[in-house]
mmCIF file of all heavy atoms in Angstrom:
data_model
loop_
_atom_site.group_PDB
_atom_site.id
_atom_site.type_symbol
_atom_site.label_atom_id
_atom_site.label_comp_id
_atom_site.label_asym_id
_atom_site.label_seq_id
_atom_site.Cartn_x
_atom_site.Cartn_y
_atom_site.Cartn_z
ATOM 1 N N GLY V 1 19.931 12.616 3.875
ATOM 2 C CA GLY V 1 18.912 13.488 4.444
ATOM 3 C C GLY V 1 17.836 13.940 3.491
ATOM 4 O O GLY V 1 17.390 15.096 3.554
ATOM 5 N N VAL V 2 17.363 13.041 2.610
ATOM 6 C CA VAL V 2 16.271 13.375 1.699
ATOM 7 C C VAL V 2 15.213 12.281 1.758
ATOM 8 O O VAL V 2 15.376 11.260 2.436
ATOM 9 C CB VAL V 2 16.775 13.555 0.239
ATOM 10 C CG1 VAL V 2 17.775 14.693 0.163
ATOM 11 C CG2 VAL V 2 17.385 12.272 -0.305
ATOM 12 N N VAL V 3 14.132 12.501 1.042
ATOM 13 C CA VAL V 3 13.037 11.535 0.948
ATOM 14 C C VAL V 3 13.250 10.646 -0.270
ATOM 15 O O VAL V 3 13.689 11.122 -1.322
ATOM 16 C CB VAL V 3 11.680 12.259 0.835
ATOM 17 C CG1 VAL V 3 10.542 11.269 0.582
ATOM 18 C CG2 VAL V 3 11.408 13.088 2.077
ATOM 19 N N ALA V 4 12.947 9.377 -0.128
ATOM 20 C CA ALA V 4 12.959 8.467 -1.279
ATOM 21 C C ALA V 4 11.799 7.500 -1.158
ATOM 22 O O ALA V 4 11.362 7.162 -0.052
ATOM 23 C CB ALA V 4 14.273 7.702 -1.372
ATOM 24 N N VAL V 5 11.315 7.066 -2.313
ATOM 25 C CA VAL V 5 10.223 6.095 -2.374
ATOM 26 C C VAL V 5 10.651 4.938 -3.259
ATOM 27 O O VAL V 5 10.979 5.137 -4.433
ATOM 28 C CB VAL V 5 8.927 6.710 -2.938
ATOM 29 C CG1 VAL V 5 7.795 5.690 -2.890
ATOM 30 C CG2 VAL V 5 8.551 7.975 -2.193
ATOM 31 N N LYS V 6 10.664 3.737 -2.679
ATOM 32 C CA LYS V 6 10.792 2.525 -3.485
ATOM 33 C C LYS V 6 9.377 2.012 -3.713
ATOM 34 O O LYS V 6 8.738 1.511 -2.795
ATOM 35 C CB LYS V 6 11.615 1.449 -2.771
ATOM 36 C CG LYS V 6 11.883 0.219 -3.666
ATOM 37 C CD LYS V 6 12.194 -1.024 -2.871
ATOM 38 C CE LYS V 6 10.958 -1.757 -2.420
ATOM 39 N NZ LYS V 6 10.238 -2.428 -3.542
ATOM 40 N N PRO V 7 8.838 2.162 -4.904
ATOM 41 C CA PRO V 7 7.447 1.784 -5.125
ATOM 42 C C PRO V 7 7.255 0.279 -5.218
ATOM 43 O O PRO V 7 8.215 -0.495 -5.333
ATOM 44 C CB PRO V 7 7.109 2.466 -6.452
ATOM 45 C CG PRO V 7 8.419 2.574 -7.162
ATOM 46 C CD PRO V 7 9.453 2.760 -6.099
ATOM 47 N N THR V 8 6.010 -0.131 -5.188
ATOM 48 C CA THR V 8 5.665 -1.523 -5.452
ATOM 49 C C THR V 8 6.254 -1.954 -6.793
ATOM 50 O O THR V 8 6.208 -1.200 -7.776
ATOM 51 C CB THR V 8 4.134 -1.687 -5.483
ATOM 52 O OG1 THR V 8 3.614 -1.454 -4.171
ATOM 53 C CG2 THR V 8 3.718 -3.067 -5.953
ATOM 54 N N LEU V 9 6.785 -3.139 -6.844
ATOM 55 C CA LEU V 9 7.368 -3.664 -8.077
ATOM 56 C C LEU V 9 6.354 -3.589 -9.221
ATOM 57 O O LEU V 9 5.227 -4.068 -9.092
ATOM 58 C CB LEU V 9 7.792 -5.122 -7.862
ATOM 59 C CG LEU V 9 8.573 -5.764 -9.005
ATOM 60 C CD1 LEU V 9 10.003 -5.261 -9.016
ATOM 61 C CD2 LEU V 9 8.548 -7.285 -8.882
ATOM 62 N N GLY V 10 6.741 -2.951 -10.327
ATOM 63 C CA GLY V 10 5.873 -2.841 -11.494
ATOM 64 C C GLY V 10 5.080 -1.549 -11.553
ATOM 65 O O GLY V 10 4.448 -1.270 -12.569
ATOM 66 N N THR V 11 5.113 -0.753 -10.490
ATOM 67 C CA THR V 11 4.425 0.542 -10.531
ATOM 68 C C THR V 11 5.039 1.420 -11.613
ATOM 69 O O THR V 11 4.343 2.131 -12.340
ATOM 70 C CB THR V 11 4.523 1.244 -9.165
ATOM 71 O OG1 THR V 11 3.972 0.385 -8.165
ATOM 72 C CG2 THR V 11 3.784 2.568 -9.169
ATOM 73 N N VAL V 12 6.372 1.369 -11.712
ATOM 74 C CA VAL V 12 7.132 2.077 -12.740
ATOM 75 C C VAL V 12 7.756 1.049 -13.669
ATOM 76 O O VAL V 12 8.345 0.063 -13.209
ATOM 77 C CB VAL V 12 8.238 2.947 -12.102
ATOM 78 C CG1 VAL V 12 9.067 3.645 -13.170
ATOM 79 C CG2 VAL V 12 7.629 3.963 -11.136
ATOM 80 N N SER V 13 7.632 1.251 -14.962
ATOM 81 C CA SER V 13 8.206 0.307 -15.922
ATOM 82 C C SER V 13 9.728 0.265 -15.791
ATOM 83 O O SER V 13 10.392 1.277 -15.582
ATOM 84 C CB SER V 13 7.842 0.711 -17.350
ATOM 85 O OG SER V 13 8.542 -0.098 -18.283
ATOM 86 N N ARG V 14 10.287 -0.953 -15.970
ATOM 87 C CA ARG V 14 11.740 -1.139 -15.899
ATOM 88 C C ARG V 14 12.374 -1.155 -17.282
ATOM 89 O O ARG V 14 13.589 -1.304 -17.396
ATOM 90 C CB ARG V 14 12.043 -2.435 -15.163
ATOM 91 C CG ARG V 14 11.513 -2.463 -13.739
ATOM 92 C CD ARG V 14 11.435 -3.856 -13.174
ATOM 93 N NE ARG V 14 10.515 -4.679 -13.961
ATOM 94 C CZ ARG V 14 10.253 -5.956 -13.690
ATOM 95 N NH1 ARG V 14 10.824 -6.543 -12.666
ATOM 96 N NH2 ARG V 14 9.415 -6.640 -14.443
ATOM 97 N N ARG V 15 11.581 -0.987 -18.329
ATOM 98 C CA ARG V 15 12.145 -0.977 -19.672
ATOM 99 C C ARG V 15 13.150 0.161 -19.820
ATOM 100 O O ARG V 15 12.864 1.306 -19.542
ATOM 101 C CB ARG V 15 11.022 -0.825 -20.712
ATOM 102 C CG ARG V 15 11.523 -0.610 -22.136
ATOM 103 C CD ARG V 15 10.404 -0.735 -23.163
ATOM 104 N NE ARG V 15 9.300 0.165 -22.908
ATOM 105 C CZ ARG V 15 9.199 1.410 -23.378
ATOM 106 N NH1 ARG V 15 10.193 1.923 -24.104
ATOM 107 N NH2 ARG V 15 8.129 2.152 -23.119
ATOM 108 N N GLY V 16 14.358 -0.185 -20.255
ATOM 109 C CA GLY V 16 15.380 0.812 -20.459
ATOM 110 C C GLY V 16 16.181 1.158 -19.221
ATOM 111 O O GLY V 16 16.884 2.171 -19.213
ATOM 112 N N VAL V 17 16.099 0.335 -18.185
ATOM 113 C CA VAL V 17 16.898 0.531 -16.976
ATOM 114 C C VAL V 17 17.874 -0.635 -16.863
ATOM 115 O O VAL V 17 17.468 -1.796 -16.937
ATOM 116 C CB VAL V 17 16.012 0.609 -15.718
ATOM 117 C CG1 VAL V 17 16.883 0.782 -14.469
ATOM 118 C CG2 VAL V 17 15.005 1.753 -15.835
ATOM 119 N N VAL V 18 19.153 -0.342 -16.689
ATOM 120 C CA VAL V 18 20.154 -1.396 -16.559
ATOM 121 C C VAL V 18 19.774 -2.281 -15.372
ATOM 122 O O VAL V 18 19.618 -1.780 -14.252
ATOM 123 C CB VAL V 18 21.558 -0.812 -16.362
ATOM 124 C CG1 VAL V 18 22.590 -1.931 -16.267
ATOM 125 C CG2 VAL V 18 21.918 0.143 -17.502
ATOM 126 N N PRO V 19 19.618 -3.581 -15.570
ATOM 127 C CA PRO V 19 19.030 -4.429 -14.526
ATOM 128 C C PRO V 19 20.047 -5.061 -13.579
ATOM 129 O O PRO V 19 21.232 -5.181 -13.882
ATOM 130 C CB PRO V 19 18.351 -5.524 -15.351
ATOM 131 C CG PRO V 19 19.277 -5.704 -16.526
ATOM 132 C CD PRO V 19 19.803 -4.315 -16.844
ATOM 133 N N ILE V 20 19.543 -5.463 -12.415
ATOM 134 C CA ILE V 20 20.178 -6.490 -11.599
ATOM 135 C C ILE V 20 19.272 -7.711 -11.598
ATOM 136 O O ILE V 20 19.665 -8.776 -12.032
ATOM 137 C CB ILE V 20 20.453 -6.007 -10.161
ATOM 138 C CG1 ILE V 20 21.572 -4.957 -10.152
ATOM 139 C CG2 ILE V 20 20.854 -7.191 -9.269
ATOM 140 C CD1 ILE V 20 21.923 -4.460 -8.768
ATOM 141 N N ALA V 21 18.026 -7.529 -11.124
ATOM 142 C CA ALA V 21 17.145 -8.691 -10.993
ATOM 143 C C ALA V 21 15.692 -8.267 -11.137
ATOM 144 O O ALA V 21 15.222 -7.396 -10.393
ATOM 145 C CB ALA V 21 17.362 -9.369 -9.644
ATOM 146 N N HIS V 22 14.986 -8.924 -12.060
ATOM 147 C CA HIS V 22 13.615 -8.515 -12.347
ATOM 148 C C HIS V 22 12.665 -8.758 -11.178
ATOM 149 O O HIS V 22 11.594 -8.150 -11.115
ATOM 150 C CB HIS V 22 13.098 -9.221 -13.607
ATOM 151 C CG HIS V 22 13.090 -10.713 -13.509
ATOM 152 N ND1 HIS V 22 14.125 -11.499 -13.968
ATOM 153 C CD2 HIS V 22 12.174 -11.564 -12.997
ATOM 154 C CE1 HIS V 22 13.846 -12.766 -13.754
ATOM 155 N NE2 HIS V 22 12.665 -12.839 -13.164
ATOM 156 N N SER V 23 13.014 -9.640 -10.247
ATOM 157 C CA SER V 23 12.140 -9.884 -9.098
ATOM 158 C C SER V 23 12.146 -8.739 -8.105
ATOM 159 O O SER V 23 11.249 -8.654 -7.248
ATOM 160 C CB SER V 23 12.557 -11.170 -8.367
ATOM 161 O OG SER V 23 12.293 -12.311 -9.145
ATOM 162 N N GLN V 24 13.162 -7.849 -8.191
ATOM 163 C CA GLN V 24 13.290 -6.809 -7.173
ATOM 164 C C GLN V 24 13.557 -5.409 -7.730
ATOM 165 O O GLN V 24 13.397 -4.426 -7.016
ATOM 166 C CB GLN V 24 14.410 -7.179 -6.183
ATOM 167 C CG GLN V 24 14.129 -8.451 -5.415
ATOM 168 C CD GLN V 24 15.191 -8.808 -4.391
ATOM 169 O OE1 GLN V 24 15.339 -9.964 -4.013
ATOM 170 N NE2 GLN V 24 15.940 -7.843 -3.917
ATOM 171 N N ASP V 25 13.972 -5.265 -8.981
ATOM 172 C CA ASP V 25 14.373 -3.969 -9.517
ATOM 173 C C ASP V 25 13.200 -3.000 -9.668
ATOM 174 O O ASP V 25 12.130 -3.376 -10.162
ATOM 175 C CB ASP V 25 14.995 -4.132 -10.910
ATOM 176 C CG ASP V 25 16.377 -4.731 -10.872
ATOM 177 O OD1 ASP V 25 16.949 -4.863 -9.775
ATOM 178 O OD2 ASP V 25 16.899 -5.066 -11.957
ATOM 179 N N THR V 26 13.436 -1.747 -9.298
ATOM 180 C CA THR V 26 12.483 -0.683 -9.591
ATOM 181 C C THR V 26 13.185 0.660 -9.533
ATOM 182 O O THR V 26 14.153 0.837 -8.787
ATOM 183 C CB THR V 26 11.299 -0.671 -8.608
ATOM 184 O OG1 THR V 26 10.379 0.368 -8.978
ATOM 185 C CG2 THR V 26 11.750 -0.423 -7.179
ATOM 186 N N ALA V 27 12.716 1.600 -10.320
ATOM 187 C CA ALA V 27 13.129 2.985 -10.189
ATOM 188 C C ALA V 27 12.216 3.673 -9.192
ATOM 189 O O ALA V 27 11.090 3.221 -8.930
ATOM 190 C CB ALA V 27 13.073 3.701 -11.536
ATOM 191 N N GLY V 28 12.702 4.789 -8.624
ATOM 192 C CA GLY V 28 11.886 5.534 -7.681
ATOM 193 C C GLY V 28 12.385 6.958 -7.532
ATOM 194 O O GLY V 28 13.497 7.285 -7.943
ATOM 195 N N PRO V 29 11.563 7.827 -6.921
ATOM 196 C CA PRO V 29 11.890 9.249 -6.818
ATOM 197 C C PRO V 29 12.681 9.601 -5.571
ATOM 198 O O PRO V 29 12.576 8.939 -4.529
ATOM 199 C CB PRO V 29 10.509 9.907 -6.764
ATOM 200 C CG PRO V 29 9.676 8.890 -6.033
ATOM 201 C CD PRO V 29 10.191 7.547 -6.458
ATOM 202 N N MET V 30 13.454 10.679 -5.670
ATOM 203 C CA MET V 30 14.127 11.299 -4.536
ATOM 204 C C MET V 30 13.809 12.788 -4.566
ATOM 205 O O MET V 30 13.797 13.401 -5.633
ATOM 206 C CB MET V 30 15.635 11.080 -4.607
ATOM 207 C CG MET V 30 16.048 9.645 -4.353
ATOM 208 S SD MET V 30 17.844 9.453 -4.471
ATOM 209 C CE MET V 30 18.080 7.918 -3.570
ATOM 210 N N ALA V 31 13.568 13.376 -3.385
ATOM 211 C CA ALA V 31 13.185 14.778 -3.293
ATOM 212 C C ALA V 31 13.431 15.260 -1.880
ATOM 213 O O ALA V 31 13.819 14.488 -0.998
ATOM 214 C CB ALA V 31 11.715 14.950 -3.683
ATOM 215 N N THR V 32 13.164 16.537 -1.645
ATOM 216 C CA THR V 32 13.348 17.086 -0.305
ATOM 217 C C THR V 32 12.085 17.005 0.534
ATOM 218 O O THR V 32 12.110 17.370 1.708
ATOM 219 C CB THR V 32 13.810 18.553 -0.373
ATOM 220 O OG1 THR V 32 12.863 19.306 -1.138
ATOM 221 C CG2 THR V 32 15.189 18.656 -1.018
ATOM 222 N N SER V 33 10.993 16.549 -0.024
ATOM 223 C CA SER V 33 9.757 16.390 0.735
ATOM 224 C C SER V 33 8.977 15.211 0.186
ATOM 225 O O SER V 33 9.172 14.787 -0.958
ATOM 226 C CB SER V 33 8.898 17.657 0.653
ATOM 227 O OG SER V 33 8.325 17.791 -0.640
ATOM 228 N N VAL V 34 8.079 14.701 1.024
ATOM 229 C CA VAL V 34 7.247 13.578 0.600
ATOM 230 C C VAL V 34 6.350 13.983 -0.565
ATOM 231 O O VAL V 34 6.172 13.221 -1.524
ATOM 232 C CB VAL V 34 6.406 13.059 1.784
ATOM 233 C CG1 VAL V 34 5.412 11.993 1.316
ATOM 234 C CG2 VAL V 34 7.310 12.492 2.879
ATOM 235 N N ALA V 35 5.785 15.188 -0.514
ATOM 236 C CA ALA V 35 4.887 15.627 -1.581
ATOM 237 C C ALA V 35 5.613 15.727 -2.908
ATOM 238 O O ALA V 35 5.079 15.342 -3.952
ATOM 239 C CB ALA V 35 4.270 16.977 -1.211
ATOM 240 N N ASP V 36 6.846 16.239 -2.898
ATOM 241 C CA ASP V 36 7.618 16.334 -4.133
ATOM 242 C C ASP V 36 7.912 14.943 -4.694
ATOM 243 O O ASP V 36 7.805 14.694 -5.895
ATOM 244 C CB ASP V 36 8.936 17.054 -3.870
ATOM 245 C CG ASP V 36 8.752 18.529 -3.546
ATOM 246 O OD1 ASP V 36 7.653 18.910 -3.111
ATOM 247 O OD2 ASP V 36 9.716 19.293 -3.715
ATOM 248 N N ALA V 37 8.310 14.028 -3.803
ATOM 249 C CA ALA V 37 8.609 12.664 -4.245
ATOM 250 C C ALA V 37 7.365 11.988 -4.812
ATOM 251 O O ALA V 37 7.428 11.276 -5.819
ATOM 252 C CB ALA V 37 9.177 11.849 -3.081
ATOM 253 N N ALA V 38 6.228 12.214 -4.161
ATOM 254 C CA ALA V 38 4.984 11.619 -4.636
ATOM 255 C C ALA V 38 4.615 12.136 -6.021
ATOM 256 O O ALA V 38 4.159 11.380 -6.888
ATOM 257 C CB ALA V 38 3.860 11.912 -3.650
ATOM 258 N N LEU V 39 4.811 13.435 -6.242
ATOM 259 C CA LEU V 39 4.504 14.009 -7.550
ATOM 260 C C LEU V 39 5.356 13.371 -8.639
ATOM 261 O O LEU V 39 4.856 13.005 -9.711
ATOM 262 C CB LEU V 39 4.728 15.509 -7.510
ATOM 263 C CG LEU V 39 4.471 16.250 -8.828
ATOM 264 C CD1 LEU V 39 3.012 16.168 -9.213
ATOM 265 C CD2 LEU V 39 4.914 17.699 -8.716
ATOM 266 N N LEU V 40 6.643 13.225 -8.369
ATOM 267 C CA LEU V 40 7.528 12.603 -9.357
ATOM 268 C C LEU V 40 7.118 11.158 -9.610
ATOM 269 O O LEU V 40 7.112 10.697 -10.753
ATOM 270 C CB LEU V 40 8.979 12.683 -8.881
ATOM 271 C CG LEU V 40 10.052 12.078 -9.785
ATOM 272 C CD1 LEU V 40 9.985 12.637 -11.196
ATOM 273 C CD2 LEU V 40 11.438 12.307 -9.182
ATOM 274 N N LEU V 41 6.754 10.443 -8.545
ATOM 275 C CA LEU V 41 6.324 9.053 -8.720
ATOM 276 C C LEU V 41 5.039 8.971 -9.535
ATOM 277 O O LEU V 41 4.893 8.088 -10.394
ATOM 278 C CB LEU V 41 6.134 8.404 -7.355
ATOM 279 C CG LEU V 41 5.658 6.946 -7.359
ATOM 280 C CD1 LEU V 41 6.616 6.053 -8.148
ATOM 281 C CD2 LEU V 41 5.489 6.427 -5.930
ATOM 282 N N GLN V 42 4.107 9.889 -9.297
ATOM 283 C CA GLN V 42 2.859 9.883 -10.065
ATOM 284 C C GLN V 42 3.140 10.015 -11.565
ATOM 285 O O GLN V 42 2.469 9.384 -12.386
ATOM 286 C CB GLN V 42 1.954 11.021 -9.592
ATOM 287 C CG GLN V 42 1.316 10.787 -8.236
ATOM 288 C CD GLN V 42 0.634 12.029 -7.699
ATOM 289 O OE1 GLN V 42 1.088 13.152 -7.926
ATOM 290 N NE2 GLN V 42 -0.460 11.850 -6.978
ATOM 291 N N VAL V 43 4.122 10.839 -11.907
ATOM 292 C CA VAL V 43 4.453 11.029 -13.319
ATOM 293 C C VAL V 43 5.134 9.787 -13.896
ATOM 294 O O VAL V 43 4.829 9.355 -15.011
ATOM 295 C CB VAL V 43 5.345 12.270 -13.493
ATOM 296 C CG1 VAL V 43 5.902 12.350 -14.910
ATOM 297 C CG2 VAL V 43 4.552 13.536 -13.172
#
């Protein structure tokens, strides 16, 4: 029951994240609102 954003591949660097597959891996934000998630993604 929260908001999450899977961004476009490469929007967030994957350096230092334990990988599965470079064609699909990305980090993304989770929050209780879209605005909060967007702010975290912007950073």
Side-chain angles (χ1 to χ4, degrees):
V2 299
V3 174
V5 184
K6 186 202 85 71
T8 293
L9 187 76
T11 303
V12 178
S13 172
R14 300 162 298 180
R15 172 169 56 89
V17 179
V18 182
I20 290 181
H22 60 265
S23 291
Q24 297 182 204
D25 287 350
T26 182
M30 290 179 160
T32 56
S33 72
V34 173
D36 291 23
L39 179 65
L40 180 54
L41 179 57
Q42 287 170 326
V43 170

